[in-house]
Amino acid sequence: MNSKLKKYLILSGLGVSLLLILALIGFFAVDEIKGGAVGDGQNKYELIIDSGEPSSSVVRELAAAGMIKSSVYFNYLMKFTRAGNKIKQGVYDINDGMSSRKILDVIISGKVKLVNFTVPEGYNNRQIGDLLVSKKLAISREEFLKVTQSQALLTKYNIPAKTLEGYLFPETYSVPLNYPLERITEMMIKRFYKKLESIPEAKDIKPADLHFRVVLASIVEREAVRKEERPMMAGVFLTRIEKNINLESCATIQYLFDKPKKRLFESDLKIVSPYNTYINGGWPPGPISNPGLPALEASFKPMQSDKLFFLLKPDGSHYFSATFKEHLEAKKKFIDVLYQ
């Protein structure tokens, strides 16, 4: 090898090395400028990542909360490290003293130990309390019910009631063990308002008007079996109120019992309670369950008709009637024959 070629190779090697060094310096400089910590860790944020939530949504939330300097850089970091599909659902405590790289490490590590629990549509607060006890997230039902009566939470979310009944959205949640009940409860409230955003008629609604809709939705949720019947059912209840006819909802009677009965009797319909809509006119004093989105949508978009009664048939559907005579005939046809 002649000296010129040897010298050329050495210089070429040095040039490549210099470029690599400059590239690394540039990378770390950009990493610090665009991906460094926003603050000193004083500002904290609870990041909740749902199952199947896209990484782009997570980045938007971090940016909106002021936890990262650049969403563009954070997206680049995820792409460069191939971490976009490694983000794990859960609840993470983030603070502004964490760099983008640190935050990414946290949300892909999934180090939090999660407990999953599913609140079925139509569960009341007592049932949710029992569910949390079974998952060892609450010591007792009473402990949870005390949280649902928190004046601080009621005031924070402008709920004109004595409890959070109706505002704890039924869905699947994931939380770490020993997670505070107050924060679990607030997660469910936040989910309620997030879901409410999908209903155009609920935009900018006043708290009192929303509460009325939640009461209606909670009754529809407990009465309905098939989702497609909920708008019609909501319309029936509204029509009865307009005509000054008692709601006579069996669901409001069932709310009086610790566990729902398989069948109600005449004596049950005479129980003295403000929730008994057989003996009291108007709406019950508050929601009787925590409704899901279809029931909430039905309360905002009821179906208008001349129907005043409905009856649950053995197949799970309801028979709707315009007159009491028609209702009694349906009862003989579908219900009374079962007990002969």
Side-chain angles (χ1 to χ4, degrees):
M1 181 183 296
N2 60 48
S3 59
K4 287 185 178 181
L5 179 58
K6 187 175 182 180
K7 185 177 180 180
Y8 173 78
L9 291 175
I10 292 172
L11 290 173
S12 297
L14 289 172
V16 170
S17 299
L18 181 60
L19 287 174
L20 287 173
I21 292 171
L22 289 173
L24 286 172
I25 293 173
F27 173 80
F28 286 114
V30 172
D31 187 61
E32 179 57 31
I33 295 171
K34 295 293 186 181
V38 175
D40 58 4
Q42 292 297 311
N43 295 320
K44 303 183 185 301
Y45 183 72
E46 183 184 82
L47 178 65
I48 302 172
I49 301 177
D50 291 324
S51 177
E53 184 174 358
S55 59
S56 57
S57 175
V58 175
V59 177
R60 282 196 300 272
E61 184 172 350
L62 287 169
M67 293 294 115
I68 57 176
K69 289 182 176 180
S70 169
S71 56
V72 172
Y73 180 76
F74 201 97
N75 280 314
Y76 165 79
L77 191 61
M78 286 194 300
K79 186 175 182 179
F80 180 76
T81 58
R82 299 181 179 179
N85 59 353
K86 297 178 183 178
I87 295 175
K88 296 178 175 62
Q89 73 174 98
V91 183
Y92 300 93
D93 286 326
I94 305 296
N95 65 72
D96 65 357
M98 300 167 65
S99 67
S100 291
R101 192 177 290 275
K102 176 61 178 176
I103 293 174
L104 185 58
D105 287 341
V106 168
I107 63 178
I108 66 174
S109 67
K111 290 179 181 178
V112 292
K113 186 174 183 180
L114 300 178
V115 177
N116 297 324
F117 67 94
T118 301
V119 178
E121 294 179 344
Y123 256 32
N124 60 42
N125 287 358
R126 297 183 302 241
Q127 292 171 304
I128 295 177
D130 292 341
L131 173 64
L132 294 178
V133 170
S134 72
K135 292 291 185 175
K136 299 182 179 179
L137 292 170
I139 297 174
S140 65
R141 176 202 285 186
E142 290 68 31
E143 180 191 28
F144 174 70
L145 291 179
K146 186 176 180 180
V147 175
T148 66
Q149 296 164 6
S150 164
Q151 189 58 53
L153 287 176
L154 290 166
T155 301
K156 181 177 180 179
Y157 291 96
N158 294 316
I159 297 173
K162 294 181 179 180
T163 79
L164 295 167
E165 188 84 79
Y167 295 84
L168 306 181
F169 196 77
E171 204 170 79
T172 297
Y173 298 90
S174 298
V175 297
L177 281 172
N178 303 316
Y179 202 59
L181 274 178
E182 290 80 3
R183 297 178 78 176
I184 292 176
T185 304
E186 196 159 9
M187 280 177 64
M188 292 189 277
I189 300 171
K190 287 180 178 179
R191 193 67 55 84
F192 168 85
Y193 283 104
K194 185 68 176 177
K195 293 292 184 179
L196 202 65
E197 291 176 5
S198 67
I199 304 177
E201 291 81 359
K203 186 177 181 181
D204 300 324
I205 190 171
K206 294 179 180 178
D209 294 333
L210 173 60
H211 193 63
F212 150 65
R213 296 292 174 181
V214 174
V215 172
L216 173 56
S218 75
I219 299 174
V220 170
E221 184 67 83
R222 292 296 297 176
E223 289 279 8
V225 177
R226 298 185 176 182
K227 292 183 179 181
E228 63 271 16
E229 292 182 344
R230 291 174 184 178
M232 173 69 81
M233 198 171 284
V236 169
F237 286 127
L238 287 169
T239 301
R240 291 180 74 92
I241 291 292
E242 289 170 3
K243 293 182 178 293
N244 202 30
I245 302 172
N246 288 4
L247 292 179
E248 297 187 350
S249 165
C250 292
T252 63
I253 303 296
Q254 292 283 16
Y255 185 67
L256 303 178
F257 303 109
D258 191 58
K259 293 183 179 180
K261 288 187 172 185
K262 289 184 178 180
R263 186 187 180 192
L264 293 176
F265 296 94
E266 285 294 325
S267 58
D268 297 322
L269 307 184
K270 298 176 182 178
I271 297 175
V272 178
S273 168
Y275 283 91
N276 186 339
T277 56
Y278 277 83
I279 62 177
N280 298 303
W283 301 103
I288 62 167
S289 75
N290 291 283
L293 187 58
L296 285 167
E297 289 175 331
S299 74
F300 280 93
K301 305 172 186 177
M303 185 179 296
Q304 294 184 341
S305 71
D306 62 346
K307 308 301 182 185
L308 289 170
F309 306 89
F310 57 82
L311 185 78
L312 179 64
K313 298 191 293 184
D315 66 358
S317 65
H318 283 83
Y319 184 88
F320 292 86
S321 307
T323 66
F324 187 59
K325 180 181 178 182
E326 184 185 358
H327 179 65
L328 289 177
E329 290 174 352
K331 183 175 179 293
K332 290 179 183 179
K333 180 178 179 180
F334 298 110
I335 304 299
D336 293 348
V337 294
L338 299 177
Y339 299 97
Q340 291 179 353

